[in-house]
Structure formats: structure tokens, C-alpha cells
Amino acid sequence: MMKNQNLPRQPHPPNWLVRLATAICAPHLREELIGDMHERFTVYVSKYGGPKARLLFARETLGLVRWCIVRRQSAGFAPAYHFRMLRNYFRIGRRVLIKNRGYTLIHLTGLALGLWACMIVATVVIDSLSYDRQWTHADDIYRVIHVRKMGEGLLERSTSSPAALPAEMQKLFPEVVSWSSVNGYDYYFKVHPDDPAGHTTHVLSADSGIVGMLGIKVVAGSLRTDGNNLALTRSVAGKLFPGQDAIGRTLWQIPKYGDKANAYQVTALIEDLPYNSHLRTDAIHLNQTKPQVLSNTGYMSFERNYILLHPRTNAASLARKVNKWYTGFMKGNDLSGFEFQPVKDVYLHSDFAEGQSVRADANSIYIFMGVAALLLFIACVNFVNLSTARAFTRIKEASVRKILSGSRMQLIMQSLAETLTIFAVAVAIAMIAYFFSLQEVEGFLGHHLVQTFTTHTHLAAWAVLLVLITALFTGIYPAWLISGFKPSHTLRGLLSHTFGLNTLRKGLVVMQFSISIVVLLATIVVWRQLSLMEHKDLGYDKKNLLSIDQVSWDGKGAAFKSELLRIAGAQRASISLWRPTDGGGYMSKEVDDPADTKSRIRVWFIAGDLDLAETLGLRLSGGRLLSPGFGADAINADSMQRADFGAFEQAATRQSSLITRSAARILNIKTLNRMIPSAKTVPVGMIDDFNNESLYEPIKPTIIVGHRDVQYGGMFIRITPGTEKQTTRAIRSLWKKFYPAKMLTINPVEELLSKQYEAEGRLRQLFLFFSGLTMFLSALGIFGLVVQAGEQRSKEMSIRKVLGASVTGIVTLLTKDFVRLVVFAILLATPVGWYTLQNWLERYPYRTQLHWWIFAVTGAGALFITVLTVGVQAARTALSNPVKSLRNE
């Protein structure tokens, strides 16, 4: 056919303007409006020419930008976000979940467990982070930390600083507003002196500066600083004097020092102090502020000092100025310095704080946070894995809905509705479990939790918001995946190239099993570390050894000890100024390091009567033990110090002592019975090293000296095995005869030592629980996947059976893929676990070894659980009747 060359060429507007007009105009108006624009363009061309016609066309295109033209007409269906559609999404979602009960149960179990564990751990973390933030001046209160330099890069920190320091700082540095010395004690109070039982009450003893510093509110009465006054908190006053006015009443303190009960008068009622504080207390005993004079002689008393600084003061800069001034003031008699610890950090960052009973380990808190986050991650991975696996069974449904004009947004909303429904039910289950388990958690931790999701609505609101975000992030990928299938491919069975999901699912399985294996490794290592600390040879016999707390013996110590040794079951006894839970010794000295003249060594001194070494079971390796047959083996230190301190120091330099092997090596002692000039003592015997502190500290150089007629101290009692109860009962009876008004606290030494490692004990139990939970959730996820695989491959398995495949072969076929993934997870988790745990163990001077068999056992355990989980379900698939699967074929 020949083209007609005589026909005029039709003018056409620019294509990009036509496309722009098409995009602006609603579909139902395009034909009419854009058609009219084309006709007018032809007229414009003939009338004004091409260039002007194009300008006019452009103006008309811009004129289309009006709401009545832009607005798309409804297609007859409610939009995807309409309320009616949202209601339908959740209604259909509920039906789908009920229909697939098995998968719904797996989802709910994993998510509820993960959410519950996260809520519990989050509560502990939030509560720990809330400590000491309620005080009026919480941002400006600091604790003075005493820092001693023991060598190059070796610092020793203490919560006790010179008692006269804060008053001197207030004079010299305007940044210091006020200060207070604060100490805590447990008193045993009786309402009446003749009451058979009393009340243990924690009392803060402080000067009046604490009132303004902490913002203490007086409810009734007045705060006084004279005599034995007492300000009771409102709740404790209600317990001690129910329904009565406590002001003016007297409480009787059963003393450890002195032989008579001390009378305390209640002068004030105060509001309860925050429980989540390291200064937690039931009452306050105020003293008059008596600033001491700071001496540069090196002799000074120490207190736990707190200072209040002006707002926005740079504490680190102030510490540098104070240290510079202090160094010049001491003129070389003291090389120590100071740090100012924010009161908000005291609870979590005080691993050096001796005697601070209310504290926690920040590292443990961080570990719990990590484990809880990983636990929730595993639960979410299970959800994503199973949801994507289930997508195979729902692609036809999604394709049909698309063919029937369903939009992708509607499919996404439908899938998210199912996700939100599952998460909502899981949250409800987790909340119920959280509510009923909270008390058990408090019992496990040993203290009350203040910040919980059930008592603070704003925390609950944040939790709901975070769960909602988690649900949306978790559900968006499966929703996007299901809605993304092309109906033409789906109905033709072309699925493999559209998915590409296997790699993702395998990766997620590897990741969750890697996490589970690392947690299981941590459980084994923590277990072994605690076992090492509990069973390590301490250098003395901790079994069958009782300890009486420090008391004043009032001149009757020797008589009490003599009568005590008459009790059947009491083998030996010794009065001592040291217990292994009270620090390295009753005093210490810094001496020059013979190996390095630039360093100093701290030598600890333990004092007790002459039976101390034998009562403890210390092992003699050279020389002799202290004996009453040698006059220089013991001195009456208490009376000599009261009479003439200089004479006491002279006598101490000639006093015999026992020295540990490590002390002799460090001090370069080759010969016994010669005075050590630096330590000023004469060692007559050498004993094997023993741990005079907890196993958080390495063995320190230690010297044991003998005292006679000890006035203040505790007592060790070696008993016959198996007689602890009757011996303790007899000792209490004897105590009543000697000290009827004095309190007796007696405990097995083994029990006291175990309390030092309660943190590790709790860590061990938590890791045991979390490792079981993570492994269970991982197994649950892989169980869901193998069930899904069995359903998808049921016809293939049936055909294989018909063609002669054995049950073993089918089980192996279904199992080997998962086993391969877990083996890969073991290879991935092993170096990560080794590096993490090796760093954790570095904090302990005595630590367990990371043997190869720990990793082997962990890997074998993970494989066993996998084979057990997958194998059982695979066997069920292999044993199913092939006729049922192939019936429709």
C-alpha cells in the first residue's frame, strides 16, 4: 500500500507535556480533557504557529493542577486504610490464625517467651539505671574516692577519704557548696528493753549537711544533732509503733560494742527515702558537724564523704585542681589523689567499694540486656522464617485476590493485621506471665524492684510502642513478599525464580543457632568459673569453721574463749581482728618495692591471738608458729596504744610475726628471725600463701602478728565435723551468760565466703535459664520449618516411597539440610564465643581455662537437639501413608 504524500502532517504537542498532563489528570477525565487539549493545539498551530501553540499547551497543562481534576475517582472499593477494611483485615486474620492452629501456636509460644523474658530483663535494667536519680541535687552530688598509686598504671581506689578533706575543700574551692560524711550500719532495736525479739534497722549516721544535700523532708518533730537522736522514716515508724505517735519514744539498741543497751530517742519522722538508692535506709542518726583539721603528717582518720557542687561544675577539672593542691599540701607524705564519683554512678560502678552492700555490677546488666535482645531477636527470626515459609501456601490466595482487583497495599495490610494480631495475643500472654513472675524475680534478686511495667504506666506505654514497632518491622518483610507475587507466574507454578528466599531463611537459621551456641558456651564457662571460686584451695581450711562478728570483749575475751573450748565439738578458738570477708587485714603499710624503686607495695597485717594460725589451719613451711613461750610473739596492743603510742610502735618493730611465701619473695626476705626494716617486724615463721580476701583479688603480701587481751575483734572457732548445730546452740547459751545485753552474730565461714560470689551464682542461674530458652526457641523455629518442608514436599516424599525409598533415606533427606546449617552455625559461633568469654574471664585473677572440649560439647549438644527436633518430624513424614498425598493426582 502506497503512502499518501498529499495528506497534511498533523501537529502534535511535545510528548513530555502530554505525559505530564496524563499524570496530573485523573484517569476518568483524561480522554475528555486531554483530547480537547489536542484539538485546541491544532487550532493554535494554524492560528499562531508552532512555538506559541506549544506555550499555550504548556499553560493548559499547568491549568490541570486542580483538585477536581487531580482527585482520583473511587474504584467502588473502600481504600486500604479505611476503617471497614481494617476491621475486615483483622477479622480475616483471626480466621486464618485459627485455621492454622499449629503454626499460630508456634508463633505465640516463641513470641510470648521472648517478650516475657525481655520485659523481665528490661525491668531489672530500668530499675538499676534509676538508682540515686530522685535526689533534689542528684546531678551535683559526688562521692569522694581516694586513689592510691601502687605502681606504674596500678591504682587502688577506696570509698573512704580523709575526714578533714571536704571541709578544707569547701574553704579553698568555691565550687564546693556543702559536704557530709555518711556511714551506714545495721542496728538491732527493741521497743522495750525486755522484749524477747527486736527489729533489724538500717541506720545512716551522718552530720547535718546531709539534710540539705539529699532534700530530706521532715513530716513531724524536728531534726536534732545532740545525743542519741533518731529520725525514723514514716513506714518504719508505722511498723515499730503501729497507731501511735513515735515522736519522743525510745528505742533500745542491742550493742556489739559495750555491755549495755543504748537508748535512742525518736525526735523526727521523715518521708521514706527512695528505695532505689545506695543510701537506702530506715532511719537517720544525725551528728553535729565537726570539721577536723587536715594534717600533712600522714596520720589521719577516714570517712565516706559526699560533696555537693555548684550546678554545671566540671567535676573532673575540680578533681585536678584539688589533687594539685593536695600534693603540695602533703609535701610528699602522701602520694594519693582523689576522684569525684557522680552519685548516679555509685550503684552500678562501684566494684572497688568495700562495705557497700547496695550495689550491682554494670557488666552483668549489660550482659542481661544483650541476652534479652538476642532472645527477642531469635523469636522474631522464627516468626519471619515461618511466615516466609508459609508464603508458599498462600500465594494462590494472594494471586486470586490480585486478579479480583485487590491492590498490593490491601495484601500488605492483610498480612500486617495477622502479624499484629499474633503480637497482641503474645503481649497479653507475656504480661500475665510477667505479673505473676515479678515477685519470684524480686526474691531471686534479693531486693524490691521499684520501676516496673505494672506500677508505672509511662513505662508500660513505652513498652507497647516498642512492641508495636517490633511487630511492624517483623511483619513487613513477609507482607511485602506475599504481596509481590505475579499472578501469571503463580498460577503457572513458576515460583522458584520469584522467591530466592532459601538463602535468607538459611542465613536466619544460622544466625539464631549461632546466638544459642554462644549463650550455651557462656553458661558452661560461667558455671566452671563459679565452681573454681567455690572449690579453690584458699590456703586455710574453711570447712567446720565458725566466725563471731566483731564485738567488744570488755576484758572477758580470754575467759569466754576458755569456757568455749570446754564445749563438746569446739576444738580450737582464736580472737582475731580480721575476717576474710572484711578485707585484706586489720591494717596495711606501703613499703618500697625492692625490685623497683619507683613503685610501692602494700603489705597487709593480720592480728589475732597466738592460736590464730592453727585455728585457721594455715600451713607452716619454715621456722615456727607464734607461741606463748616466746615473750616477743605477742604484745598487748590495745593497752599500749592507750598508754603511749610511741612505746607501742617501738614494741611493734621488735615483735615476732609470720610471713607468707609471696610476701617473703616480694620483700626479698631470705632469712628468718631478722627484722624487715621496711615492714618493721621480725618474721619467725613462713607459711604457705592463703587468700586473705575474696578471689576477686590476687594473693597479697601478708604478715600475721600476735596480740594479747584483744578488746575489739571477732573469733574463729574450729569445730568437730557434724556438730555445727549443737555447738552453735551451746555457744549462744554461753554468750548469754557472759554478755546478756550484747548481740551475737555467728556464721559458718564457708557460708560467708559463698555470699561473696552471689553475683556469679545469679549469673550462672540466669545463663542456665537463658541458654535453655534460646536453644528451645531455636529448636522451635527449626521445628516449624521442617513441618513446613514436610508439607510442601509431601508428594515428593510419597513418590519416593512408592518408588522404593526407605524411611531412613527420607529422614536423612529432610534432616541433612538443617544439620548442615547448624554445623555452619557452630563454626561461626566458636571464635565469637571464645573471644567474648576470654575477655570476660580477664577480670578474674583466678580463672578457668577455655578448653577445646567445652566447644566440642556445646557443638555436639546443638547438633543433638537439631537432629532430635528435625528427625522426629521427618520420621513422621516418612512414615505417612503415600496414598493420602497422591490421592488427588
Side-chain angles (χ1 to χ4, degrees):
M1 185 174 175
M2 295 291 292
K3 191 174 179 180
N4 192 348
Q5 301 291 334
N6 297 322
L7 288 176
R9 187 180 179 186
Q10 289 291 330
H12 196 278
N15 288 333
W16 67 274
L17 282 175
V18 174
R19 285 197 294 271
L20 179 62
T22 304
I24 294 173
C25 193
H28 66 285
L29 299 174
R30 285 173 188 161
E31 182 177 356
E32 178 183 354
L33 295 179
I34 297 178
D36 291 346
M37 289 171 65
H38 276 279
E39 290 178 3
R40 284 196 294 276
F41 180 79
T42 305
V43 174
Y44 293 153
V45 169
S46 61
K47 195 172 181 178
Y48 306 114
K52 188 169 182 180
R54 285 191 285 274
L55 287 174
L56 291 172
F57 189 87
R59 189 182 68 177
E60 290 185 359
T61 300
L62 294 176
L64 293 174
V65 185
R66 286 176 287 169
W67 177 243
C68 59
I69 297 175
V70 172
R71 184 167 62 93
R72 267 53 175 172
Q73 191 178 48
S74 171
F77 301 101
Y81 45 81
H82 193 276
F83 173 74
R84 285 181 299 165
M85 291 302 293
L86 293 177
R87 187 179 58 185
N88 287 337
Y89 296 147
F90 285 98
R91 183 178 295 168
I92 295 171
R94 178 171 54 85
R95 291 172 181 168
V96 170
L97 296 177
I98 293 174
K99 180 183 177 183
N100 302 289
R101 292 184 182 86
Y103 294 102
T104 305
L105 183 61
I106 292 174
H107 280 319
L108 285 178
T109 304
L111 287 174
L113 279 173
L115 290 171
W116 168 77
C118 273
M119 290 171 69
I120 290 292
V121 175
T123 301
V124 176
V125 172
I126 292 171
D127 187 74
S128 299
L129 295 176
S130 71
Y131 269 65
D132 290 305
R133 294 172 188 272
Q134 301 81 2
W135 305 117
T136 307
H137 306 290
D139 293 333
D140 304 312
I141 300 176
Y142 295 84
R143 183 167 69 175
V144 181
I145 303 299
H146 193 199
V147 183
R148 297 186 182 90
K149 186 175 181 181
M150 307 304 295
E152 190 62 36
L154 181 62
L155 300 177
E156 183 180 86
R157 290 178 170 81
S158 170
T159 57
S160 297
S161 54
L165 178 69
E168 200 68 24
M169 286 169 53
Q170 190 179 19
K171 291 179 188 174
L172 301 174
F173 301 96
E175 295 93 332
V176 180
V177 177
S178 64
W179 59 273
S180 180
S181 299
V182 183
N183 291 286
Y185 304 100
D186 282 330
Y187 284 177
Y188 194 69
F189 280 124
K190 290 184 177 181
V191 178
H192 301 287
D194 300 329
D195 285 349
H199 305 268
T200 301
T201 307
H202 189 73
V203 178
L204 280 186
S205 179
D207 52 58
S208 56
I210 194 175
V211 179
M213 183 180 292
L214 299 184
I216 294 172
K217 296 178 181 176
V218 179
V219 177
S222 60
L223 296 172
R224 291 167 52 181
T225 57
D226 57 324
N228 285 345
N229 66 84
L230 206 61
L232 289 182
T233 59
R234 191 198 289 265
S235 60
V236 172
K239 291 178 184 176
L240 296 177
F241 305 102
Q244 304 174 43
D245 184 6
I247 303 298
R249 301 291 298 269
T250 300
L251 288 173
W252 302 90
Q253 184 231 346
I254 308 305
K256 288 186 176 181
Y257 302 97
D259 55 356
K260 293 181 181 178
N262 300 315
Y264 280 79
Q265 186 180 27
V266 180
T267 61
L269 286 185
I270 59 176
E271 287 286 359
D272 288 355
L273 298 184
Y275 182 85
N276 49 345
S277 167
H278 80 284
L279 297 174
R280 180 189 308 162
T281 189
D282 301 316
I284 295 178
H285 169 55
L286 287 181
N287 304 306
Q288 288 184 346
T289 304
K290 295 178 179 177
Q292 301 180 28
V293 178
L294 188 64
S295 168
N296 60 2
T297 60
Y299 293 97
M300 58 188 78
S301 59
F302 284 74
E303 296 278 2
R304 290 193 172 92
N305 295 312
Y306 292 77
I307 56 175
L308 175 64
L309 304 182
H310 277 294
R312 293 182 292 280
T313 297
N314 188 324
S317 174
L318 177 62
R320 285 192 292 271
K321 289 196 293 184
V322 170
N323 288 331
K324 183 178 179 181
W325 157 78
Y326 186 77
T327 303
F329 175 79
M330 294 304 292
K331 299 177 180 176
N333 289 328
D334 188 358
L335 300 179
S336 57
F338 305 98
E339 294 175 353
F340 302 142
Q341 183 184 29
V343 72
K344 292 178 180 179
D345 293 347
V346 170
Y347 180 69
L348 285 178
H349 302 277
S350 296
D351 53 346
F352 58 88
E354 73 285 357
Q356 181 184 326
S357 58
V358 182
R359 62 176 172 175
D361 182 11
N363 291 325
S364 298
I365 296 296
Y366 299 147
I367 290 172
F368 295 154
M369 288 171 64
V371 171
L374 293 177
L375 206 58
L376 184 60
F377 175 76
I378 290 175
C380 291
V381 164
N382 277 350
F383 184 88
V384 173
N385 258 344
L386 210 51
S387 297
T388 51
R390 289 286 296 165
F392 281 103
T393 63
R394 303 193 63 184
I395 51 177
K396 289 185 178 178
E397 171 197 340
S399 300
V400 170
R401 293 182 69 167
K402 274 191 168 184
I403 291 172
L404 296 176
S405 301
S407 67
R408 186 170 190 178
M409 178 59 72
Q410 287 176 329
L411 292 174
I412 290 175
M413 296 289 283
Q414 174 65 59
S415 181
L416 286 179
E418 294 172 15
T419 302
L420 291 176
T421 302
I422 289 178
F423 266 82
V425 177
V427 167
I429 296 172
M431 280 298 295
I432 294 171
Y434 172 83
F435 179 78
F436 286 106
S437 60
L438 203 54
Q439 194 170 0
E440 294 296 325
V441 174
E442 290 178 336
F444 173 74
L445 295 173
H447 62 82
H448 179 57
L449 292 171
V450 178
Q451 304 273 335
T452 69
F453 294 112
T454 54
T455 57
H456 290 70
T457 52
H458 70 284
L459 291 179
W462 276 109
V464 170
L465 179 63
L466 288 175
V467 171
L468 180 63
I469 294 172
T470 305
L472 291 175
F473 270 103
T474 306
I476 193 66
Y477 177 70
W480 185 262
L481 183 72
I482 293 174
S483 64
F485 295 133
K486 294 181 179 179
S488 57
H489 288 175
T490 303
L491 299 178
R492 290 163 57 197
L494 302 176
L495 299 178
S496 57
H497 67 281
T498 57
F499 261 23
L501 301 175
N502 288 337
T503 303
L504 174 67
R505 284 213 305 276
K506 288 177 181 177
L508 292 176
V509 169
V510 169
M511 193 178 297
Q512 66 179 173
F513 262 92
S514 299
I515 294 169
S516 303
I517 291 167
V518 170
V519 176
L520 187 57
L521 277 172
T523 303
I524 296 174
V525 173
V526 170
W527 191 289
R528 284 176 52 79
Q529 177 63 27
L530 182 60
S531 178
L532 180 147
M533 297 170 80
E534 288 177 340
H535 300 102
K536 184 183 180 300
D537 181 9
L538 300 177
Y540 60 90
D541 187 3
K542 65 180 180 181
K543 295 182 179 177
N544 306 308
L545 186 64
L546 301 179
S547 169
I548 294 177
D549 277 6
Q550 301 265 346
V551 294
S552 64
W553 294 102
D554 305 331
K556 296 183 285 188
F560 177 80
K561 175 181 170 182
S562 176
E563 288 296 318
L564 184 145
L565 291 175
R566 296 176 184 272
I567 296 174
Q571 297 178 343
R572 289 185 177 278
S574 172
I575 297 176
S576 170
L577 279 72
W578 162 86
R579 290 192 312 167
T581 54
D582 293 340
Y586 87 107
M587 62 169 277
S588 63
K589 285 183 181 176
E590 288 184 15
V591 301
D592 292 333
D593 185 352
D596 184 1
T597 55
K598 296 180 180 178
S599 298
R600 305 272 288 174
I601 301 170
R602 179 171 294 277
V603 179
W604 286 96
F605 286 75
I606 291 175
D609 64 22
L610 298 178
D611 296 324
L612 179 60
E614 289 177 296
T615 304
L616 287 174
L618 299 176
R619 295 185 284 268
L620 184 70
S621 60
R624 63 173 177 83
L625 294 177
L626 300 179
S627 168
F630 297 87
D633 282 7
I635 60 174
N636 193 331
D638 291 324
S639 62
M640 292 180 72
Q641 288 180 36
R642 284 194 298 270
D644 185 348
F645 194 81
F648 160 73
E649 285 194 309
Q650 286 296 324
T653 58
R654 299 188 298 271
Q655 187 182 3
S656 303
S657 62
L658 301 176
I659 189 169
T660 60
R661 278 181 173 274
S662 59
R665 184 182 67 256
I666 293 172
L667 296 176
N668 197 24
I669 305 300
K670 305 292 185 184
T671 309
L672 296 175
N673 298 308
R674 290 184 180 176
M675 191 179 78
I676 307 172
S678 56
K680 296 179 180 177
T681 185
V682 181
V684 297
M686 187 178 296
I687 54 177
D688 288 347
D689 288 335
F690 67 98
N691 293 93
N692 55 336
E693 292 183 275
S694 72
L695 294 177
Y696 297 120
E697 299 290 337
I699 286 181
K700 307 283 181 59
T702 306
I703 293 173
I704 298 177
V705 295
H707 284 185
R708 281 199 302 268
D709 297 328
V710 177
Q711 291 302 306
Y712 300 95
M715 178 177 283
F716 291 112
I717 305 159
R718 175 70 62 189
I719 61 173
T720 304
T723 63
E724 180 181 326
K725 288 185 178 178
Q726 53 266 39
T727 305
T728 303
R729 193 163 48 242
I731 292 172
R732 290 187 181 281
S733 177
L734 180 65
W735 185 267
K736 285 290 182 187
K737 294 178 183 176
F738 275 79
Y739 306 102
K742 189 173 291 188
M743 189 173 174
L744 170 66
T745 305
I746 182 168
N747 294 289
V749 170
E750 196 170 12
E751 188 176 302
L752 294 174
L753 293 173
S754 296
K755 286 183 179 178
Q756 295 179 313
Y757 312 121
E758 284 182 340
E760 279 72 18
R762 281 196 287 267
L763 196 64
R764 176 177 63 179
Q765 294 182 46
L766 283 172
F767 263 115
L768 187 62
F769 173 74
F770 281 127
S771 65
L773 204 54
T774 52
M775 195 55 75
F776 172 75
L777 290 179
S778 299
L780 192 67
I782 211 168
F783 173 77
L785 290 178
V786 75
V787 169
Q788 182 67 27
E791 289 182 3
Q792 288 176 358
R793 302 176 67 179
S794 60
K795 290 178 182 176
E796 175 195 344
M797 296 301 117
S798 300
I799 293 172
R800 286 177 180 272
K801 285 190 69 176
V802 171
L803 295 177
S806 65
V807 172
T808 306
I810 293 175
V811 170
T812 304
L813 186 67
L814 288 173
T815 306
K816 65 179 183 181
D817 289 341
F818 295 101
V819 171
R820 194 179 296 131
L821 294 178
V822 174
V823 169
F824 192 72
I826 293 170
L827 296 176
L828 187 66
T830 298
V832 175
W834 179 88
Y835 178 78
T836 306
L837 293 170
Q838 189 65 35
N839 282 343
W840 180 75
L841 287 172
E842 289 293 332
R843 60 189 293 193
Y844 297 98
Y846 308 96
R847 48 184 176 266
T848 185
Q849 298 297 314
L850 291 176
H851 296 292
W852 65 268
W853 62 263
I854 296 176
F855 299 91
V857 167
T858 306
L863 276 176
F864 174 75
I865 292 171
T866 303
V867 171
L868 187 66
T869 305
V870 177
V872 171
Q873 187 57 34
R876 289 182 60 185
T877 304
L879 293 172
S880 63
N881 188 354
V883 176
K884 292 182 179 179
S885 301
L886 300 176
R887 184 178 296 161
N888 294 333
E889 301 297 326

